[in-house]
């Protein structure tokens, strides 16, 4: 009897916790509903650097994850850099395209919502403007050696 009550109590606590997380995510989406839809992804099938698309946050606030337009969904991805901009080809989520004229900065960092690395330069963070709002998008390359080349190519794109 005690075992059954313990299991039932644990399941109830878990259900309440999941419900709270669900409500929190839905509230975040409603607060961010004013963010206009993202630009259409060009038909570019080029694959780039493999890694993980971590999240998009408000610029300067590494914990304020953007929940609308699937920007807060973490996924395995590859990042293609082209003259048109950056294309995150994500598995299990919609691709994200950032036009070159919206890019404002690129840097390496230790963390962004959903991922903190041990090394100081584990993430490539791109700052961009969309609909008058500054955003940061984090990407973790699979191979550490790709970080410097990726950052340099994005810097070149921003400078061009």
């Amino acid at each position: 009897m005690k075992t059954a009550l313990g299991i039932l109590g644990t399941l109830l606590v878990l259900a309440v916790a999941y419900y709270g997380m669900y409500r929190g995510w839905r509230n975040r989406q409603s607060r961010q509903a004013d963010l206009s839809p993202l630009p259409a992804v060009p038909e570019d099938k080029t694959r780039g650097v493999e890694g993980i698309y971590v999240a998009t946050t408000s610029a300067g606030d590494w914990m304020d994850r953007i929940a609308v337009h699937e920007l807060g969904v973490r996924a395995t991805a590859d990042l293609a850099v082209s003259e048109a901009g950056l294309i995150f080809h994500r598995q299990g989520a919609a691709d994200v395209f950032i036009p070159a004229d919206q890019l404002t900065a690129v840097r390496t960092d230790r963390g962004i919502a959903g991922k903190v690395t041990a090394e100081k330069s584990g993430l490539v963070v791109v700052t961009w403007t969309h609909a008058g709002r500054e955003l940061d998008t984090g990407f973790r390359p699979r191979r550490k050696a790709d970080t410097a080349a990726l950052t340099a190519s994005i810097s070149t794109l921003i400078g061009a």
Side-chain angles (χ1 to χ4, degrees):
M1 182 68 170
K2 281 186 178 182
T3 304
L5 287 175
I7 292 172
L8 185 62
T10 301
L11 291 176
L12 182 63
V13 167
L14 287 174
V16 168
Y18 279 115
Y19 179 73
M21 289 188 293
Y22 170 77
R23 292 282 300 164
W25 190 255
R26 298 294 291 191
N27 286 339
R28 181 178 291 267
Q29 286 178 326
S30 66
R31 283 193 314 267
Q32 297 170 349
D34 62 331
L35 188 65
S36 62
L38 299 174
V41 179
E43 292 296 324
D44 186 1
K45 299 295 179 191
T46 347
R47 295 297 180 197
V49 176
E50 294 178 353
I52 296 173
Y53 171 93
V54 180
T56 296
T57 64
S58 296
D61 187 356
W62 70 284
M63 291 300 291
D64 184 25
R65 187 187 300 248
I66 303 297
V68 293
H69 310 304
E70 294 187 346
L71 289 174
V73 176
R74 182 177 172 162
T76 301
D78 64 75
L79 172 54
V81 180
S82 70
E83 289 181 11
L86 306 179
I87 303 172
F88 295 90
H89 297 283
R90 301 190 298 171
Q91 296 176 10
D95 292 346
V96 175
F97 172 60
I98 304 173
D101 61 346
Q102 292 181 358
L103 296 169
T104 57
V106 63
R107 69 181 189 281
T108 57
D109 210 336
R110 173 170 272 160
I112 197 166
K115 183 71 175 171
V116 177
T117 63
E119 64 269 7
K120 289 182 182 178
S121 60
L123 294 174
V124 175
V125 179
V126 179
T127 304
W128 55 294
T129 306
H130 177 66
R133 188 169 182 177
E134 271 207 318
L135 304 170
D136 284 340
T137 297
F139 181 77
R140 175 147 171 96
R142 179 169 291 167
R143 290 172 293 284
K144 188 176 180 181
D146 291 338
T147 303
L150 183 60
T151 305
S153 65
I154 295 171
S155 293
T156 303
L157 182 63
I158 293 170

